[in-house]
Structure formats: structure tokens, C-alpha cells
Amino acid sequence: TQEKGAKLMKNHSCKAVFNLKEAASYLGISVPTLVRLLKSGEIPCRRGGQRWLIAQSVLDDWLKQKS
């Protein structure tokens, strides 16, 4: 998954904040898995109304911890 994450980082490198689908794609995981991680607090995020907003820097830090 580290190679997959590195490849996805190149595709999303200009974006600072992701929605659920973008963040899941960036991490190489499913949206339901990402929601579970967000709800548990394992990956910090902000809610904007009904939207989940996840910073790329937070995702990068999470990926580094997992490798």
C-alpha cells in the first residue's frame, strides 16, 4: 500500500483539503473504511455541515505512521 499511496499522492498533490471520495482514493481504501477511521478519531477531520473535510497533511501523516 505504500507504493499505491505514493502513486496517489502524485495525482492529488495540488489539493490541500479532500472530501470523502478523494481522501479514500488518496489513501487507497474504501469510503466506508475511511468513515470508520474518521468517526473513531484515528484520522482527524473537520465537518462542514454534512461534508467531511480532511486535510492532505493529516492523510500524509497517517500514511507515514502506517508504513
Side-chain angles (χ1 to χ4, degrees), residues 5-25:
K7 191 181 284 187
L8 289 168
M9 281 186 213
K10 291 178 186 174
N11 294 340
H12 296 287
S13 61
C14 63
K15 190 129 185 188
V17 178
F18 296 132
N19 64 31
L20 277 177
K21 281 186 178 181
E22 293 166 335
S25 171

Side-chain angles (χ1 to χ4, degrees), residues 1-9 27 63-64 66-67:
T1 56
Q2 188 174 10
E3 286 178 18
K4 189 174 186 180
K7 191 181 284 187
L8 289 168
M9 281 186 213
L27 295 174
L63 284 171
K64 285 178 190 171
K66 293 295 176 189
S67 57

